[in-house]
Amino acid sequence: MSAAAKSPAPGAPPGRGALRRNLPPARRFLAGRKRVLVRLGGWSLLESAQTFLGGYCLAQALDRGFLAGQTGTGLLWLAVAAASILGAGPPMRGVFAQLAELTEPLRDALVRRAVRQALRRAVTDPARTDDRADTGAVSRLTHQTEIVRDSFAGLVLTVRAFVFNAVGALIGLLALAPELLLVVLPPLVLGIALFLATLLPMASAQRAFLDADEAVAEGVGAVSAGHRDLVACGAQADAAERTGRLIDTAERTSRVLARWAAVRTVALGVAGQLPVLLLLVTTPWLLRQGVTTGALAGALTYLLQALLPALHSMMTALGAAGTRLLVVVDRFQDATAAPVPPKVPDLDADPAPDMVAEVGPPRGRRPSRTVPAVEVRAVTHAYGPDSPPVLDHLHLTVRRGEHIAVVGPSGIGKSTLAGVVSGLVAPDHGTVLLGGEPVTGVTAQDLADRRVLIPQQAYVFTGSVRDNLLHLRPDVTSDELTHAVRVLGAEPLVHRLGGPDAVLDPRGLSHGERQLLALCRAYLSSAPLVLLDEATCHLDPAAEARAERAFAERAFTDAARARHGALIVVAHRLSSARRADRVLVLDGATPRFGTHEELLTSSALYRDLFGHWQHTPPPVGS
């Protein structure tokens, strides 16, 4: 079960309980870094000054310059505003330097806590053979720590930007005309309060929805696997009733989640759009109160260029990254994830404080910059000089350790994108980087060492099962081979074929069996980046879910792969998109990239695909 879907303690709301558990150590973590916070606030105040000057200088340029017939004065005020924009570079550099002093110690603290949890489990129960628990420890040690670091950094940046932009804008409004605050401030405060009130209920609803969605998948998978026994025992009605209850629960939780999402949308509208509307409506009254034309223009500048963009970014970050951060951090606080008996020897010399209260890296050590696993920069590609581009100036960044799903209608360019990223298709324009290095100008072996692409039509050749599975990496050990076959659920197939040394005939394999063998081959390769181009379309949903989970966790079991590992899945089922960290929706000239919840709001095509997937029965497994 994924971290996001893990059930909370009985009797406590998931969001509120997680907040109560994590708030005290979070306070201790921040209290231990007061100097960093002060320096971060100082650099941000300079950004507030730039925000203040943007609207104030425009107002003065109009009132004292252009409208008063003093063109030179107006240009001088605009020059001051331009200088403030050019001077924003050093403060932003200072902000990011202090941000690293917050995020890197947090990541290091989480890694130490995950190691302690795993070691204590091994000491208290050395005979434990639960592979899922071991995989969970590896995921917490690598993937989940990166999720926390990235989400925390994004939250700090967006919340800081809103707070200090709001300070600069509100001071500017007060300096221009106090009456402007009477119009702008009430809807802004009301919308923010309404949004904050939805955070905990939204987290609870999201977690309940994930629990219900996973329960449906497990229940349907169990019924599908045992349908012969159910028929033989005459238990069809009981199985149908149980499955129906699971589906009804999932429907109820999805409706609750949708209602809270609607409330959040209303909050964004109240805080983001109502101030502008009220300012326009009350313009005659403001003019009668002596507010100048320049002051009104400055107020609109504050709203449209500073307050509203920062507000929208903050609400999006808190709604998506904030919920994800709370759920994942709670995995490190969950006692069931790391049982600590009363008498366990100390496993390292340091005390074991709470996960976010631990000290950061030694002084003088500079945190390393994270290189994205994949960067697609302004890529354009068409299949002919007179053909419209399939990919048109596409930008995409996939972070290391990230699981991405690509969706869109047939022929929109999903497989083309997979080919471009893998280096098999040269784009007409643009650049593709894997681990910070271009895919062009390298040998086929270099590309094979950096990525592996599995297309829809899986390739299997006449030879032994072992030869097929070790085709990309002949030096695989027997233990590695056994592990890959087990985690991908291919043990029954290999056993039926006669074992690893049996000779197989591709003509005797179904499409699903070919795909399963190809997936095992890709899993054993040394390439950190995996691209699955509908490579599981002939598998049943349970087998597909198992394969995608295996690949999502594969990149973190090996230190070399973890450096630039990621998973990109061209999805043909809703479940594949739901399992991904983010989803890329290819929609012609307007691709969208975000989480499932964000895309349900921002992409009409994704909503249509979501409804189509929900009403399309899954194909029969091969």
Side-chain angles (χ1 to χ4, degrees):
M1 184 178 293
S2 65
K6 186 172 180 65
S7 297
R16 193 173 300 277
L19 184 63
R20 282 199 300 265
R21 285 189 294 272
N22 291 285
L23 194 55
R27 287 173 177 169
R28 288 193 292 272
F29 174 80
L30 296 176
R33 288 161 180 81
K34 292 180 179 178
R35 292 184 178 179
V36 175
L37 294 175
V38 169
R39 291 195 294 268
L40 181 63
W43 287 113
S44 299
L45 275 176
L46 296 178
E47 188 175 347
S48 293
Q50 188 266 324
T51 301
F52 168 80
L53 290 174
Y56 188 81
C57 290
L58 176 63
Q60 300 305 315
L62 290 173
D63 289 338
R64 298 186 180 184
F66 303 117
L67 296 179
Q70 302 294 326
T71 304
T73 303
L75 292 175
L76 182 62
W77 279 106
L78 292 181
V80 173
S84 69
I85 296 175
L86 295 176
M92 186 57 63
R93 184 175 61 181
V95 165
F96 276 92
Q98 301 309 312
L99 180 66
E101 295 296 327
L102 287 175
T103 58
E104 296 303 320
L106 174 62
R107 193 271 307 272
D108 293 344
L110 293 173
V111 168
R112 285 194 292 272
R113 185 170 182 87
V115 170
R116 288 192 180 98
Q117 290 177 349
L119 291 177
R120 283 173 177 150
R121 181 182 294 109
V123 170
T124 56
D125 193 0
R128 183 183 182 95
T129 57
D130 187 351
D131 292 331
R132 290 176 298 175
D134 295 338
T135 301
V138 173
S139 178
R140 283 191 296 276
L141 185 62
T142 53
H143 181 45
Q144 295 182 26
T145 57
E146 293 300 322
I147 290 177
V148 171
R149 184 178 68 169
D150 292 343
S151 300
F152 179 67
L155 284 176
V156 171
L157 281 177
T158 54
V159 173
R160 175 209 61 86
F162 172 73
V163 170
F164 287 94
N165 275 319
V167 169
L170 294 177
I171 292 176
L173 291 172
L174 182 62
L176 292 177
E179 293 85 356
L180 294 172
L181 289 178
L182 297 177
V183 177
V184 171
L185 201 55
L188 183 66
V189 173
L190 177 62
I192 294 175
L194 183 60
F195 171 78
L196 293 177
T198 68
L199 284 179
L200 290 181
M202 188 77 172
S204 299
Q206 187 174 38
R207 197 163 183 176
F209 175 76
L210 291 173
D211 288 341
D213 186 63
E214 185 167 338
V216 170
E218 291 178 355
V220 172
V223 171
S224 300
H227 69 279
R228 292 184 179 179
D229 293 335
L230 291 172
V231 173
C233 298
Q236 301 99 310
D238 182 62
E241 182 182 357
R242 292 184 180 182
T243 305
R245 287 199 298 267
L246 293 175
I247 294 173
D248 291 341
T249 301
E251 181 185 8
R252 287 195 300 271
T253 57
S254 66
R255 291 181 182 275
V256 172
L257 185 62
R259 284 196 291 269
W260 282 113
V263 174
R264 177 170 294 175
T265 302
V266 171
L268 181 60
V270 171
Q273 306 301 326
L274 193 55
V276 177
L277 179 62
L278 288 179
L279 185 62
L280 296 176
V281 171
T282 59
T283 295
W285 176 80
L286 291 171
L287 291 175
R288 289 195 299 270
Q289 301 303 313
V291 178
T292 64
T293 303
L296 290 173
L300 283 174
T301 301
Y302 285 133
L303 288 176
L304 298 177
Q305 295 187 7
L307 269 177
L308 301 190
L311 176 66
H312 186 272
S313 298
M314 183 191 69
M315 287 188 171
T316 301
L318 284 176
T323 301
R324 182 168 61 248
L325 176 66
L326 184 62
V327 172
V328 176
V329 168
D330 197 41
R331 293 288 295 131
F332 291 87
Q333 293 289 86
D334 192 351
T336 62
V340 182
K343 295 183 179 180
V344 176
D346 191 8
L347 296 174
D348 54 66
D350 297 331
D354 292 304
M355 72 88 188
V356 292
E358 299 180 12
V359 296
R363 295 190 178 207
R365 193 186 85 182
R366 297 181 65 85
S368 60
R369 296 180 61 188
T370 300
V371 178
V374 178
E375 287 183 273
V376 177
R377 298 177 178 175
V379 162
T380 299
H381 183 74
Y383 284 107
D386 299 324
S387 302
V390 180
L391 303 176
D392 189 9
H393 206 71
L394 178 66
H395 291 267
L396 174 66
T397 299
V398 180
R399 298 186 289 264
R400 63 179 185 177
E402 196 167 27
H403 177 180
I404 298 298
V406 182
V407 302
S410 178
I412 199 65
K414 302 187 295 295
S415 295
T416 301
L417 176 61
V420 168
V421 171
S422 63
L424 298 180
V425 176
D428 299 332
H429 304 284
T431 305
V432 177
L433 304 177
L434 299 185
E437 299 179 4
V439 298
T440 56
V442 298
T443 65
Q445 184 58 50
D446 290 335
L447 277 178
D449 291 337
R450 292 156 64 182
R451 57 90 182 108
V452 57
L453 168 66
I454 306 298
Q456 181 177 350
Q457 300 299 326
Y459 172 67
V460 179
F461 55 87
T462 300
S464 69
V465 175
R466 187 186 302 273
D467 290 340
N468 273 272
L469 300 185
L470 274 58
H471 180 63
L472 298 177
R473 187 175 155 223
D475 61 343
V476 171
T477 65
S478 298
D479 290 340
E480 290 175 317
L481 176 60
T482 301
H483 173 73
V485 171
R486 183 177 71 251
V487 297
L488 286 166
E491 285 180 313
L493 173 60
V494 173
H495 178 74
R496 183 182 68 78
L497 294 174
D501 296 317
V503 177
L504 61 82
D505 181 2
R507 295 172 298 179
L509 298 175
S510 68
H511 291 296
E513 289 170 339
R514 293 186 185 191
Q515 286 188 334
L516 195 54
L517 292 176
L519 290 169
C520 291
R521 179 195 303 150
Y523 186 92
L524 290 168
S525 75
S526 59
L529 173 64
V530 177
L531 299 103
L532 303 182
D533 186 8
E534 297 196 359
T536 59
C537 62
H538 295 296
L539 301 180
D540 61 74
E544 180 184 63
R546 180 170 183 167
E548 290 182 6
R549 282 196 296 266
F551 276 99
E553 296 169 353
R554 158 193 178 269
F556 316 112
T557 60
D558 182 285
R561 294 174 183 172
R563 187 176 180 183
H564 300 304
L567 173 63
I568 299 177
V569 178
V570 175
H572 62 284
R573 292 189 184 123
L574 168 64
S575 53
S576 292
R578 295 300 305 277
R579 281 187 291 270
D581 298 323
R582 291 189 290 172
V583 181
L584 173 64
V585 182
L586 292 181
D587 187 12
T590 57
R592 303 282 182 156
F593 192 37
T595 64
H596 170 75
E597 290 77 14
E598 291 170 350
L599 293 173
L600 285 178
T601 302
S602 63
S603 172
L605 174 60
Y606 188 77
R607 288 195 296 271
D608 292 340
L609 292 172
F610 180 78
H612 171 71
W613 279 330
Q614 282 188 315
H615 295 92
T616 300
V620 178
S622 299

